[in-house]
Amino acid sequence: MQGGTKITLRGSGFQPFEWKNDIDNRNDTFCMWGPLGNKPAIVISGTEAQCELPANTIGLTELHLNFTLNNQNISEGTTFTFYNPPVISEATPLRGPVKGGTEVNVYGPNYDKNREVICLFGTKKVPAKVITNSHISCVSPASDKAADVTLIVMYKNDRFQSTQMTYTYYDTAQVESITPYCGPSKGYT
């Protein structure tokens, strides 16, 4: 995991020196990420602070996050869980009619069957069906017009999303007449 995600901490007592103008503890305020090291924290208010998630270079799945205002005394922290956002390695078909209804098979590593997976066709969300941990399917929604849209996979209520592919909507073919309109039952018309 590459890190860089902004984390918001909520609690109380984040500005204990608010009443005392001559104390500046900005250089001593940190989020402590255990074996991943410390990152400076920015105190927003007495109940909120923010810090950056370091890169997970050792493949942790979870760790205990602590907070300090003086680089010595540590608050009781909480557990932070790492996971991999979904990835699209392949999807097929990548085109369908504007009326929607095309079943799109999406392949990628480690789809979490315990989380609600959704597909986004442009801005339209549709539920995905987890077939295996590397295969999901979703049905394209209707589109207002023929166009290219992004196809993205994500977990519901999550801000992290997959790599994207392009899905193409095309106008539905309309058959208006046939010639000849009849012929012998043996064929050869």
Side-chain angles (χ1 to χ4, degrees), residues 70-129:
N70 67 1
N71 206 19
Q72 293 180 26
N73 302 88
I74 300 168
S75 69
E76 289 297 318
T78 186
T79 300
F80 181 87
T81 303
F82 291 96
Y83 73 93
N84 292 316
V87 172
I88 299 177
S89 300
E90 181 183 347
T92 186
L94 284 173
R95 56 191 150 283
V98 293
K99 69 180 181 180
T102 302
E103 182 178 354
V104 179
N105 290 290
V106 180
Y107 301 92
N110 301 320
Y111 294 121
D112 187 346
K113 67 180 178 193
N114 296 318
R115 299 190 65 194
E116 190 173 341
V117 184
I118 59 173
C119 292
L120 281 93
F121 290 81
T123 58
K124 296 181 179 180
K125 295 179 182 180
V126 294
K129 179 181 177 187

Side-chain angles (χ1 to χ4, degrees), residues 117-169:
V117 184
I118 59 173
C119 292
L120 281 93
F121 290 81
T123 58
K124 296 181 179 180
K125 295 179 182 180
V126 294
K129 179 181 177 187
V130 178
I131 311 297
T132 69
N133 70 339
S134 62
H135 177 202
I136 61 172
S137 71
C138 32
V139 176
S140 66
S143 176
D144 298 331
K145 62 183 178 184
D148 288 340
V149 298
T150 55
L151 171 62
I152 296 171
V153 175
M154 63 188 298
Y155 296 118
K156 186 175 181 183
N157 300 325
D158 200 347
R159 63 186 184 122
F160 302 102
Q161 59 192 28
S162 69
T163 51
Q164 64 185 32
M165 298 195 107
T166 300
Y167 183 84
T168 302
Y169 281 102

Side-chain angles (χ1 to χ4, degrees), residues 19-32:
W19 54 275
K20 200 162 170 73
N21 292 332
D22 61 340
I23 295 178
D24 182 359
N25 67 326
R26 286 181 286 191
N27 292 332
D28 294 324
T29 304
F30 293 95
C31 288
M32 304 174 85

Side-chain angles (χ1 to χ4, degrees), residues 61-74:
T61 56
E62 65 181 33
L63 60 77
H64 200 72
L65 165 64
N66 290 307
F67 182 69
T68 180
L69 292 170
N70 67 1
N71 206 19
Q72 293 180 26
N73 302 88
I74 300 168

